[in-house]
Amino acid sequence: MEWLLIPFEVSFVQRALVAGVLVSVVCAVVGTWVVLRGMAFIGDAMSHGMLPGVAIASLTGVNLLIGAAISAGVMALGVTALGRSRRLSEDTTIGLLFVGMLASGVIIVSHSRSFAVDLTGFLFGDVLAVGSGDLVGLVITLVVVGTVALLGHRSFTALTFDVRKAHTLGLRPRLANAVLLGLVTLTIVASFRVVGTLLVFGLLIAPAAAALFWSRRITTIMLIAALLGIVATVGGLLVSWHGGTAAGATIAAAAVLLFFLSALLSFVRRRFRSLTPEIESSR
């Protein structure tokens, strides 16, 4: 039993645990809408689109979160502006911006002597180096995301399932979509310090997707996704401590593993239910 508790007696692991829990809850709320609306590609593009801003901030000594926020904001505005074009599909515009921003970031970072270290830190984060300031930022993010999600729940639901009805009810689906995109941006910017841009996508998508196997109610999906994210955080930190693996990557891998486990258990459950009537009829 000691092997479960020993890692969390260390202060930096305790901070990592708190940060992971906060990120899990934020990602559960926003990730549910991302999964339900089929916005996974744009989430991935947003996470990588921050690289130019982070690279410039790193080279100039500016706070990385400021650089990430500016770059993500440019990416979000670009997606919104180009998305109005009737000649290009949304996937095409997102793909073009994704590649352009990522390539620009790599070019900028390549001028740094610590290119490999900077890029690795950006992509994979360092959850064990999270400080009290990062935790405060995550708490603020959680409050903002929770408040906006609560106030916009009706609009987001209508936007997800029936855009025409949203128009009819005067819920302004375009505005709702822009706000939702803003929540995705905020979540990624606030979380990349913990698990990196490459891995925050895993916490944003995997728990929410896994929760879909167990519920169809939006609030319940968010709750299950948050619990799965927390389990992935605790499990990832334990494996990282005892196995000497990268903490952020291990947490993200645990989240993806929970998705496949949920898919398997859901399949077994459906299979058992389909066989039950046959067993009873044969008696």
Side-chain angles (χ1 to χ4, degrees), residues 44-279:
D44 187 29
M46 289 297 298
S47 64
H48 289 80
M50 294 190 303
L51 182 55
V54 173
I56 294 174
S58 178
L59 292 176
T60 57
V62 178
N63 188 298
L64 297 184
L65 285 178
I66 295 177
I70 294 175
S71 188
V74 171
M75 182 76 179
L77 289 174
V79 170
T80 302
L82 293 178
R84 296 177 180 176
S85 174
R86 296 182 179 180
R87 295 185 178 183
L88 296 175
S89 66
E90 186 178 33
D91 286 348
T92 300
T93 58
I94 293 172
L96 289 172
L97 286 169
F98 169 33
V99 174
M101 294 289 280
L102 183 60
S104 300
V106 173
I107 291 172
I108 295 170
V109 175
S110 64
H111 285 285
S112 172
R113 295 180 180 178
S114 57
F115 169 76
V117 176
D118 291 340
L119 188 57
T120 300
F122 171 77
L123 293 176
F124 302 105
D126 189 1
V127 66
L128 297 179
V130 170
S132 57
D134 298 310
L135 295 180
V136 172
L138 287 173
V139 170
I140 294 174
T141 300
L142 177 57
V143 172
V144 172
V145 168
T147 302
V148 174
L150 182 62
L151 295 176
H153 182 82
R154 188 163 175 254
S155 298
F156 294 157
T157 302
L159 175 68
T160 300
F161 298 105
D162 195 337
V163 177
R164 292 183 179 180
K165 188 175 182 179
H167 274 293
T168 303
L169 295 175
L171 295 177
R172 304 178 68 180
R174 286 188 177 180
L175 177 60
N177 186 67
V179 172
L180 189 55
L181 183 60
L183 287 182
V184 174
T185 303
L186 176 61
T187 300
I188 293 173
V189 170
S191 304
F192 92 94
R193 177 74 172 82
V194 179
V195 290
T197 58
L198 190 63
L199 302 178
V200 69
F201 185 63
L203 282 179
L204 191 66
I205 301 299
L212 284 178
F213 289 110
W214 307 107
S215 179
R216 285 294 179 265
R217 294 187 59 184
I218 294 175
T219 53
T220 306
I221 292 172
M222 290 180 179
L223 177 60
I224 295 174
L227 292 175
L228 290 175
I230 293 172
V231 170
T233 297
V234 174
L237 288 174
L238 283 172
V239 173
S240 172
W241 177 272
H242 293 290
T245 58
T250 308
I251 291 172
V256 175
L257 181 62
L258 286 174
F259 164 77
F260 285 110
L261 180 60
S262 294
L264 178 61
L265 291 176
S266 178
F267 171 78
V268 172
R269 183 183 62 172
R270 292 197 308 271
R271 185 65 177 170
F272 178 77
R273 286 181 176 179
S274 65
L275 292 176
T276 299
E278 297 180 7
I279 295 175

